[in-house]
């Protein structure tokens, strides 16, 4: 029997049962128990999304932590769990595709000026708006890993010129890829649409701030599905207000759920999505989680174990 401590958002028992059911299809001996229950003290593995980390820290039998998402910042946060234990993440091609659909939707909304047409419909205005010339548009994708590389390739399939930015040098067919701070600045200056798909680490925290927004061309579009803490939201709001950033399409925020009093809600040219750009799907992700559990139990390092030194 493998006892796994489970926590996802509100620690919902129906969701726990759904995951248990999917995992048991691959390994019948897996049993999920709520992280907040006494039974969790017997768990050797924890399966987590945004857990109360102080609770996780108290479970002394844990050998490994598995993220219920592709990002692991919610587990590494504030170095609360500082002891040495593997942290595994999901890498699901279906999530990458789902993100790709969301980014394409956002890019096309910008190009076809959906915000403007929404306004016109509300006010019964039947009038063509100025079209953006898409033939010369350049799209920068910041973070071309498991998700960003798929997004970048799919955007090129639509005929867009796409450039990628990553920490280490990358070679992706059809896409000019760059790394390093100087190249980051070049992309900020030369692109029309900026798509952030970076993981949150000390190096990417606040990376989109007044300085970086000011380097972007006037009228740029900013799309963020990485993490909220990569953006200084007050700086984004100022740049959206002035029209320097003509549209911002956001899926992630410094505080989630986005507080009711956030000024982002009030900005006409900001679209708010509630962290749904690419959701974890138990149907497609259960197999790799069951495999990770098996690896840990057999003393092996599972695939998609993160590098604690770089933080993703
Ligand atoms: P990966 O680890 O596969 O890719 C991350 C990419 O970011 C890599 O290209 C990496 O470079 C690059 N990167 C990391 N640090 C830096 C840095 N300091 N400077 C430049 N580039 C950097 O992650 P995924 O693609 O799986 O996921 C990315 C993020 O997307 C997640 O961490 C999460 O925050 C977010 N996400 C959001 C979802 C949503 O619904 N909104 C859903 C799923 C994920 P290199 O290639 O050199 O390692
Ligand atoms: C993830 C997310 O990291 O959904 O998987 O944000």
């Amino acid at each position: 029997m493998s006892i796994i401590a489970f926590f996802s958002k509100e620690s919902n028992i129906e969701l726990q049962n759904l995951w248990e059911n999917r995992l048991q299809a691959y390994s019948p001996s897996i049993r999920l128990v709520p992280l907040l229950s006494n039974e969790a003290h017997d768990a050797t593995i924890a399966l987590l999304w945004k857990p109360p980390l102080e609770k996780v820290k108290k479970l002394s039998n844990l050998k490994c932590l598995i993220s219920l998402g592709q990002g692991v910042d919610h587990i590494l946060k504030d170095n609360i769990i500082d002891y040495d234990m593997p942290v595994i993440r999901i890498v699901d091609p279906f999530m990458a595709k789902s993100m790709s659909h969301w980014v394409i939707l956002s890019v096309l909304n910008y190009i076809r000026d959906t915000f403007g047409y929404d306004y016109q419909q509300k006010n019964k205005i039947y009038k063509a708006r100025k079209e953006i010339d898409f033939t010369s548009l350049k799209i920068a994708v910041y973070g071309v890993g498991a998700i960003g590389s798929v997004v970048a390739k799919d955007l090129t399939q639509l005929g867009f010129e796409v450039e990628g930015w990553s920490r280490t040098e990358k070679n992706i067919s059809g896409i000019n890829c760059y790394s390093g701070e100087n190249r980051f600045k070049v992309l900020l200056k030369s692109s029309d649409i900026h798509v952030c798909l970076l993981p949150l680490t000390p190096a990417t925290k606040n990376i989109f701030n007044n300085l970086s927004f000011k380097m972007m061309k006037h009228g740029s579009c900013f799309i963020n599905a990485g993490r909220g803490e990569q953006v200084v939201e007050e700086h984004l709001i100022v740049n959206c207000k002035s029209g320097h950033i003509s549209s911002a399409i956001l899926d992630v925020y410094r505080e989630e759920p986005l507080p009711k009093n956030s000024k982002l809600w009030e900005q006409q040219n900001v679209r708010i999505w509630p962290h749904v750009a690419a959701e974890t799907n138990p149907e497609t992700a259960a197999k790799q989680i069951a495999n990770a559990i098996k690896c840990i139990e057999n003393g092996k390092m599972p695939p998609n174990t993160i590098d604690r030194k770089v933080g993703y």
Side-chain angles (χ1 to χ4, degrees), residues 49 69-71 95 227 275 278:
W49 181 251
Q70 298 222 171
M95 274 176 87
R227 285 291 183 259
H275 201 147

Side-chain angles (χ1 to χ4, degrees), residues 176-192:
N176 292 326
C177 290
Y178 306 102
S179 59
E181 204 179 323
N182 283 344
R183 279 300 184 165
F184 178 61
K185 289 181 185 157
V186 171
L187 284 181
L188 290 173
K189 288 179 189 159
S190 62
S191 311
D192 304 277

Side-chain angles (χ1 to χ4, degrees), residues 49-50 67-74 90 95 99 147 225-227 251-252 256 275-280:
W49 181 251
K50 296 192 178 177
S67 169
L68 272 169
Q70 298 222 171
V72 290
D73 49 295
H74 63 107
I90 291 173
M95 274 176 87
M99 180 65 82
I147 293 179
R227 285 291 183 259
D251 186 53
V252 287
E256 295 184 7
H275 201 147
V276 290
E279 294 188 279
T280 302

Side-chain angles (χ1 to χ4, degrees), residues 1-4 20 23-24 27-32 289-290 293:
M1 177 77 68
S2 317
I3 309 227
I4 317 290
E20 186 176 68
L23 290 168
Q24 284 178 349
S27 178
S29 64
I30 291 177
R31 190 170 153 243
L32 301 193
I289 294 179
I293 293 169

Side-chain angles (χ1 to χ4, degrees), residues 90-109:
I90 291 173
V91 176
D92 184 350
F94 288 92
M95 274 176 87
K97 265 296 169 208
S98 184
M99 180 65 82
S100 175
H101 295 167
W102 182 83
V103 172
I104 289 168
L105 175 73
S106 303
V107 165
L108 296 182
N109 273 331

